[in-house]
Amino acid sequence: MVPSASLGIAFALALAAGGPRAQLDALEGRRRAEEAAARMLAQQERSVLDTLAESEAALAAAAAEARRAEAARAGAEAALAQAREEEAAAQARMQARLAELRPRLAARERLGRTGELQLLSSSRSLADLVKRRWLMERILSHDVALLAEADAARDARERARAARQREAGRLAALAKEAAERREDAAALREERETLLAALRTARGFHERAAAEAVVQQRRLAEFVATLPPPRSGGALPEGFAARRGRLPLPVAGHVTVGFGKVVNPRFNTVTVQNGLDVDAPAGAPVRAVAPGRVVHAGWFKGYGNIVIVDHGDGYHTLVAHLASMRTAMGEDVPAGAVLGTVGDTGSLKGPYLYFELREKGRPVDPRPWLAP
C-alpha cells in the first residue's frame, strides 16, 4: 500500500473514532505523518550516510547552541544573584549609618544653637574654650561624614537595584532562548530518530545503507593503509601479540554482533562485519585496551568519531561512534586511558561502541584476543 493511501485510511478511522478533539488530533497526526513521509521520499535519491551525517551535524550545532544559551543563562543568573547581594549590602550600610546618625542628630537638635553658645561660654579658660570648640567641630565633621556615607550607600543601593532589574530582564530573555535552543535540538533529534526508524524498517533504505557501509569499509581500510608505518616493538616489552587472550573490551558492556558475516533477521540480507558491536550505555568511558600511540582521532563517514591506536608490531585498534573524543593524534596512551565516550555518531543503530583489531592493516576477529 502506498504511504498516502495508508495515511488516508488511518485518518478516516481516527475521525470515526471520536469527537472534535479526536478529529483535531487526527488532523495533526496526519500532518506530521505526511511531512515525515515527504522527507523520506525526498531522501530516497540521496546517500543515506550523507543524510545521516548532515542530520548529526545539524544536531551537534543545535546542541552546541543549547549549551551556549544555557551557559549564558547561568551567567546571567549568577550576575543577578551578585546584584541582589550588592543591593542588600548597600541597604545594610545605609541603614547602619542612619542608625548611628539618628541619635546624634536628635541630640544636636535638642542642644540647639543656644545650647552650643552656652557650652562655649561656660569654658573655664581660653584653653578650655579652644578644646571645646575643637571637640564640637570634630563631632560635626564625623556627623557630616556619616551622612555622606549614608548618601553613598543609598546611591550604591539604587545602582545595584537597577543592575538587578537589568539582570532579571536579561535572565528572562536568556532563559527563553535556552528553552528554544533545547526545543530545536529536541526536534532535530526526533527527526534523526525518524530517519533511523526508516532505515531499520524499510528494506530500500536498509539495503542502500548496507551497500554504502561496504563502500565505507573499503575506504576505512584504504585510510588505515595511509597511516604512519607501524612502530617496531611498540609500547609493550613482550610485544602486542603476547596480549592475545588477555585484552579487555574497550568499554564495560557485552558483544551483541560478532566479527564476520551477519544476517539481518528482518530482511535476511548478509553483510560482513570487520569488528564487534559492543552494547554499552551512552556516555560510558571508552578506554585503550593496551598501551600505544594515537594515530588518528576524528570523524570518518559511516563511523562517526573514531580513534585509532597503534600498539606496535603492525597492530592497531579502532573504536567508533564516539560521542566525544578525549585524546588527540600523536598522544601516547597507557592501557586504560580514556579515549572517548560511547555515542551514536555515524551510527544507524543508536548508541553503541564499534571495536576493530587490525594486524598489518587487515581486520582480524577480536574475540580470541579478549580475556575470558
Side-chain angles (χ1 to χ4, degrees):
M1 181 179 293
V2 296
S4 59
S6 60
L7 290 171
I9 292 172
F11 176 58
L13 290 174
L15 287 178
R21 182 63 188 175
Q23 293 176 9
L24 288 174
D25 290 342
L27 283 169
E28 178 62 18
R30 180 176 183 178
R31 183 188 65 78
R32 289 197 301 267
E34 286 177 342
E35 288 179 354
R39 286 197 299 270
M40 291 300 123
L41 289 172
Q43 289 164 352
Q44 286 182 359
E45 301 303 322
R46 304 177 60 199
S47 161
V48 172
L49 295 182
D50 284 344
T51 301
L52 182 62
E54 290 175 10
S55 172
E56 283 182 5
L59 178 57
E65 278 296 301
R67 289 193 297 272
R68 179 200 59 76
E70 181 60 28
R73 185 206 61 78
E77 194 169 67
L80 176 59
Q82 182 178 354
R84 284 173 175 158
E85 290 177 1
E86 291 175 355
E87 181 183 2
Q91 175 74 12
R93 288 197 305 273
M94 184 184 73
Q95 294 294 346
R97 297 301 178 269
L98 291 177
E100 188 176 353
L101 265 173
R102 286 190 186 100
R104 298 170 68 90
L105 293 176
R108 179 175 290 276
E109 185 178 0
R110 286 194 302 271
L111 182 62
R113 183 62 179 169
T114 302
E116 290 180 358
L117 292 174
Q118 289 176 350
L119 184 62
L120 291 173
S121 63
S122 63
S123 301
R124 294 185 298 272
S125 64
L126 180 60
D128 187 30
L129 174 65
V130 171
K131 183 178 180 181
R132 291 187 181 193
R133 179 66 180 172
W134 178 79
L135 287 173
M136 291 174 66
E137 288 177 352
R138 286 290 304 274
I139 292 171
L140 179 61
S141 296
H142 184 63
D143 290 348
V144 170
L146 285 176
L147 185 59
E149 290 176 9
D151 285 341
R154 182 189 59 197
D155 292 343
R157 182 197 63 182
E158 294 306 314
R159 289 193 300 271
R161 179 173 294 170
R164 173 178 59 80
Q165 292 170 346
R166 286 195 305 272
E167 291 301 331
R170 191 166 75 94
L171 175 60
L174 288 172
K176 180 181 178 183
E177 182 188 1
E180 290 173 351
R181 297 291 81 79
R182 287 194 298 269
E183 290 174 2
D184 291 344
L188 287 169
R189 191 174 293 110
E190 183 178 353
E191 184 174 307
R192 184 170 180 272
E193 289 302 318
T194 301
L195 173 60
L196 291 175
L199 292 174
R200 288 190 287 265
T201 58
R203 173 179 286 274
F205 282 121
H206 169 78
E207 290 177 347
R208 191 161 70 254
E212 291 179 21
V214 171
V215 173
Q216 292 311 120
Q217 283 182 349
R218 185 170 64 251
R219 289 179 178 171
L220 179 61
E222 293 169 353
F223 175 74
V224 171
T226 67
L227 294 175
R231 297 180 295 158
S232 60
L236 293 168
E238 71 276 23
F240 185 82
R243 303 289 293 178
R244 184 181 176 90
R246 296 159 51 197
L247 293 179
L249 278 173
V251 66
H254 63 278
V255 176
T256 55
V257 180
F259 181 89
K261 290 184 178 180
V262 178
V263 179
N264 183 283
R266 184 182 184 90
F267 303 112
N268 204 34
T269 53
V270 179
T271 55
V272 176
Q273 177 138 307
N274 290 333
L276 305 178
D277 288 356
V278 183
D279 182 34
V286 178
R287 303 179 185 276
V289 298
R293 177 172 296 164
V294 176
V295 291
H296 180 75
W299 187 86
F300 197 93
K301 184 177 177 180
Y303 294 85
N305 293 324
I306 67 172
V307 173
I308 303 175
V309 179
D310 175 8
H311 300 285
D313 296 333
Y315 289 96
H316 294 85
T317 54
L318 176 149
V319 288
H321 305 309
L322 302 177
S324 63
M325 293 175 287
R326 306 287 177 82
T327 187
M329 184 173 174
E331 183 178 357
D332 289 322
V333 293
V338 176
L339 304 176
T341 56
V342 173
D344 62 353
T345 59
S347 166
L348 302 178
K349 308 174 185 178
Y352 76 102
L353 180 73
Y354 177 70
F355 173 54
E356 276 191 11
L357 170 62
R358 289 180 178 258
E359 180 183 4
K360 295 181 172 60
R362 180 178 58 86
V364 296
D365 188 351
R367 284 175 296 190
W369 290 76
L370 298 177

